[in-house]
């Protein structure tokens, strides 16, 4: 059994708070998704909220969902992310998505559901319990404002910590398009595991599929990650 520092979460929370303050970033965590829609309208007016987090489709409440919004020093929204505890029951993640993957399609796209498909990897077949789905991830800011700061790494770890503290997550999972994942964004966001070709979305009247990778972390992985020395945190906190 691996043993990690008992105060890893507290140490990370304190150090990340210091770094975010130096960058002028303030994170807010909430549960009212009508309020979250208001933030989206300000920051990303052309973006439609993804179906997994749509309060018109799901009962989004304090017990099963949360959002994170970051503001910069000028009060402008520079980050959004959302978390939702999936109703997997006693089923594995693979069985849940086999029945429900249509509800996790990319927003604002005309999907051909008849051709689209879900293919679970070995990790998805093993994952059970309190599974938190992470999505709506966006980092903005003015051109060059946060480049080179490692902010995506810090924000990703903050979201994973929130999943544990808010929902007692045993796993955090998400989907990333293949180009984004293969450029290393999954690692920058803190995910240690990835299963390629988990989803293939076809647009209507288009021959080629858009592929998505399933990324995931166990709670043990997350605590290990939070206990690791972080070059971004150490540099920025100096």
């Amino acid at each position: 059994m691996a043993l990690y520092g008992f105060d890893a979460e507290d140490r990370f929370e304190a150090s990340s708070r210091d770094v975010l303050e130096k960058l002028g970033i303030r994170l807010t965590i909430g549960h009212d998704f009508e309020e979250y829609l208001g933030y989206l309208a300000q920051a990303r007016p052309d973006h439609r909220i993804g179906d997994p987090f749509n309060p018109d489709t799901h009962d989004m409440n304090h017990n099963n969902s949360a959002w994170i919004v970051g503001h910069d020093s000028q009060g402008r929204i520079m980050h959004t992310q959302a978390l939702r505890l999936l109703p997997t029951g006693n089923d594995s993640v693979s069985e849940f998505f086999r029945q429900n993957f249509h509800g996790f399609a990319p927003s604002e796209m005309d999907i051909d559901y008849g051709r689209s498909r879900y293919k679970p990897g070995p990790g998805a077949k093993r994952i059970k319990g309190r599974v938190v789905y992470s999505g709506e991830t966006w980092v903005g800011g003015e051109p060059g404002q946060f480049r080179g700061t490692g902010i995506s790494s810090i924000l990703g770890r903050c979201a994973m910590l929130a999943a544990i503290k808010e929902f007692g997550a045993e796993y955090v999972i998400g989907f990333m398009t293949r180009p984004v994942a293969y450029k290393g964004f999954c690692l920058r966001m803190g995910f240690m595991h990835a299963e390629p070709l988990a989803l293939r979305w076809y647009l209507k009247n288009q021959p080629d599929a858009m592929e998505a990778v399933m990324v995931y972390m166990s709670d043990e992985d997350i605590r290990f990650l939070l206990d690791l020395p972080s070059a971004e945190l150490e540099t920025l906190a100096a």
Side-chain angles (χ1 to χ4, degrees), residues 81-97:
Q81 191 158 3
L83 304 168
R84 177 183 159 207
L85 184 65
L86 296 180
T88 54
N90 295 321
D91 289 336
S92 65
V93 158
S94 62
E95 181 61 22
F96 174 80
F97 281 118

Side-chain angles (χ1 to χ4, degrees), residues 50-68:
D51 287 345
F53 303 104
N54 190 336
D56 293 333
T57 304
H58 304 284
D59 176 19
M60 311 293 285
N61 59 65
H62 188 277
N63 296 316
N64 67 10
S65 52
W67 47 258
I68 302 170

Side-chain angles (χ1 to χ4, degrees), residues 140-149:
E142 296 298 316
Q145 185 178 6
F146 299 113
R147 183 179 297 277
T149 64

